[in-house]
Each structure stands twice: as C-alpha cells, then as structure tokens.
C-alpha cells in the first residue's frame, strides 16, 4: 500500500505545480492545501490504506495537441489524483534507478512533471551528439497513441519483476482498472506526471533493445532521437526497437520518422 511519506510527497508536488497543469484546479487545491493539516491528510491516509481505492468519477477532456489533433486528458477529483500520485511516487522511488540517464522525462531526481527545462535538456543533448561527429546520422521517432496503448497486465508483470510488492501492484491495478471502467478509456490516464513515471518503466525493454545495436539514443517520454554511423545501422536499431514495442502492444509512429546528418546543422529537426 502507498505510505504516508509518499502521500506527503505527492501532495507537496501537486500543490506546487497545479497552476502549471494543463487542466488546473487551482481553487480546490488551495482549499485542500489549507485543510491538509486540519484533518484532510488523515482522511487521505485512511483512504490509501485500502486496496480498492480507484477513482469514482473521471472526466475526459479533449485537449488540443496541435492545430488538428487532440489528447484525451483525464480529470480526477482531488482525492483520486492524490491517490494515484502517491501510489506511483512509491513505485517510482524504487524503479527510477533502472531508467537510463539518457531518459530526460519524469525522473524522481528531477521535477517529476512535464518540465520545459528537462525537454530542453533532452534537445540540447541530441544537438551535442550531432555536433561531436560530422558524419553521424540521426533518426527521430515516437510511439503511436503511446499512453492509450499501454497494457496494464504487462505493466503489472514489469513491476513484479523489479521487486515492487504485491499489495502496491494490486492497488495500482485496482486504480487503473476502475479508471478504464469509469472513463471508457484504456491505458494510462493522460495529463499526470504519475503516468509519465509508469511509462518510463514500460519502455525499459525498448531502451535496452536500442542499446544492443551499438547506437546512442536520448528519449523524452516516447519521443526518441537515435544516432548511428550509417543508415543501415539506424534501420537495424529501429527494427529491433519496433520488435520490442510490438511485444508490449506498441508500434513506432513511422510517419514521424526522419533521418538527418550533422551537415544539416539541425535545421530540419530542431
């Protein structure tokens, strides 16, 4: 079960970043922040002591992603959001050391939010790699409908394999199952840093598979830059990466795939 320490950590993070959320709920979070030490924390501790503490109501908001497409963001009430963040905070604290350093999103030792500074660090690292070798080639790709296609059963097996205790896995499974039932959605709730942390765990085999081909890569969520000495090497790495993804019911969004060499000086991809 999620513990008091991670509930407090989740509350601190949410109270501090709510104004920067894509779906802010600033007034309600101000109220909860005021009442946190006046009984609401104890109420939350009793709530997260249960195995079945999933959301009772979920609202899906079609949030603009670009001029023609949207993302289905999940809006929870405050109790449910704190519950989800607390459960995943405890899981992430155990698993984060397994995430390679070339992954820049949703790290425990960083902000654990969709951070502009972390996104810029990812892009700058890609730029440095290109500038170090004029002959290096780069492929950029992402994963089609990433969060929506994450398989909860596979995620549970991943968590068990890295040593997460059964009660915590059961609690997470209960929350995500009820999220899917309440919202008629699937995969992980979008719009939460907790989902970002779980997605990093889900992509550990993807990162491992890319490294097997002797290429370098940097990743932010599912957006990946892969660097190699030839198109053939990149093609092999991408083929292997896609095999790892298919085993997890995911696939590269090849329509976004681009190749570039440093001679272009980043004009097309940065």
């Amino acid at each position: 079960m999620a513990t008091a320490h991670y509930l407090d950590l989740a509350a601190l993070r949410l109270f501090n970043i709510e104004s920067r959320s894509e779906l802010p709920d600033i007034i309600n979070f101000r109220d909860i922040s005021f009442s946190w030490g006046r009984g609401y924390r104890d109420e939350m501790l009793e709530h997260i002591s249960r195995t079945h503490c999933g959301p009772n109501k979920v609202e899906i908001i079609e949030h603009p992603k670009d001029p023609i497409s949207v993302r289905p963001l999940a809006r929870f009430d405050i109790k449910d959001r704190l519950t989800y963040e607390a459960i995943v905070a405890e899981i992430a604290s155990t698993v984060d050391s397994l995430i390679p350093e070339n992954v820049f999103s949703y790290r425990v030792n960083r902000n654990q939010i969709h951070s502009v500074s972390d996104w810029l660090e990812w892009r700058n690292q890609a730029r440095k790699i290109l500038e170090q070798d004029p002959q290096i080639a780069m492929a950029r790709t992402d994963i089609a409908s990433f969060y929506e296609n994450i398989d909860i059963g596979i995620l549970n097996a991943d968590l068990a394999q890295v040593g997460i205790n059964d009660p915590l896995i059961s609690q997470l499974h209960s929350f995500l199952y009820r999220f899917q039932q309440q919202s008629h959605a699937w995969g992980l709730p979008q719009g939460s840093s907790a989902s970002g942390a779980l997605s990093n765990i889900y992509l550990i085999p993807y990162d491992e598979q890319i490294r097997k081909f002797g290429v370098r890569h940097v990743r932010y969520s599912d957006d990946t830059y892969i660097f190699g000495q030839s198109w053939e090497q990149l093609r092999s790495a991408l083929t292997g990466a896609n095999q790892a993804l298919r085993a997890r019911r995911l696939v590269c969004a090849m329509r976004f795939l681009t190749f570039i060499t440093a001679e272009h000086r980043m004009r097309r991809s940065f």
Side-chain angles (χ1 to χ4, degrees):
M1 303 294 181
T3 59
H5 170 75
Y6 293 101
L7 175 63
D8 291 335
L9 180 61
L12 178 64
R13 285 173 175 159
L14 287 177
F15 296 155
N16 286 337
I17 62 95
E18 178 59 20
S19 62
R20 290 175 280 163
S21 169
E22 292 172 297
L23 296 176
D25 193 8
I26 298 171
I27 294 176
N28 283 334
F29 267 79
R30 287 286 187 183
D31 291 341
I32 296 302
S33 180
F34 177 78
S35 61
W36 186 249
R38 297 172 172 82
Y40 193 79
R41 180 179 181 273
D42 292 336
E43 181 181 337
M44 282 299 309
L45 283 173
E46 193 278 330
H47 180 68
I48 66 171
S49 68
R50 310 168 189 163
T51 298
H52 303 292
C53 55
N56 293 313
K57 180 181 178 181
V58 182
E59 183 181 7
I60 300 297
I61 307 295
E62 301 294 344
H63 190 274
K65 182 178 180 180
D66 55 45
I68 62 172
S69 61
V70 296
R71 288 197 302 142
L73 299 186
R75 188 200 294 272
F76 298 116
D77 67 24
I78 293 174
K79 178 180 286 187
D80 292 332
R81 190 170 172 190
L82 280 169
T83 299
Y84 184 45
E85 299 283 344
I87 294 170
V88 177
E90 184 155 358
I91 291 172
S93 67
T94 300
V95 178
D96 190 70
S97 62
L98 303 177
I99 309 298
E101 289 302 314
N102 56 318
V103 175
F104 293 88
S105 54
Y106 305 107
R107 304 302 301 269
V108 169
N109 61 346
R110 296 189 174 96
N111 289 329
Q112 190 91 350
I113 59 172
H114 188 73
S115 167
V116 173
S117 61
D118 291 342
W119 183 85
L120 289 174
E121 185 180 355
W122 165 65
R123 301 259 292 188
N124 288 335
Q125 183 60 34
R127 185 186 300 273
K128 289 178 183 177
I129 293 172
L130 273 180
E131 291 175 345
Q132 287 169 0
D133 185 351
Q135 302 304 315
I136 202 168
M138 182 186 81
R140 178 180 180 179
T141 188
D142 65 1
I143 298 171
S145 302
F146 176 41
Y147 279 55
E148 295 169 85
N149 288 320
I150 289 178
D151 184 277
I152 305 307
I154 294 175
L155 177 62
N156 289 344
D158 290 342
L159 296 176
Q161 187 173 12
V162 298
I164 302 301
N165 64 68
D166 288 340
L168 197 58
I169 294 175
S170 296
Q171 197 172 41
L172 176 66
H173 177 80
S174 175
F175 188 97
L176 293 176
Y177 177 78
R178 291 185 65 176
F179 157 70
Q180 294 179 355
Q181 294 297 306
Q182 291 289 333
S183 65
H184 303 291
W186 57 92
L188 298 179
Q190 296 194 53
S192 166
S193 62
S195 293
L198 292 176
S199 73
N200 273 344
I201 299 167
Y202 201 78
L203 289 182
I204 289 176
Y206 169 75
D207 293 317
E208 291 176 344
Q209 185 71 10
I210 293 175
R211 289 196 298 271
K212 288 180 181 179
F213 288 88
V215 298
R216 299 179 66 181
H217 77 287
V218 291
R219 178 168 66 77
Y220 191 97
S221 188
D222 61 312
D223 289 315
T224 310
Y225 293 114
I226 305 175
F227 306 89
Q229 296 303 316
S230 67
W231 303 133
E232 290 76 13
Q233 187 183 32
L234 285 177
R235 187 181 299 113
S236 296
L238 285 164
T239 300
N242 215 23
Q243 290 173 348
L245 291 176
R246 280 201 301 271
R248 328 211 111 231
R249 302 186 180 181
L250 301 172
V251 64
C252 285
M254 302 301 286
R255 64 186 179 276
F256 296 123
L257 181 62
T258 58
F259 290 106
I260 190 171
T261 57
E263 66 190 44
H264 290 85
R265 309 309 299 171
M266 322 295 282
R267 287 196 303 269
R268 289 173 52 199
S269 292
F270 286 81

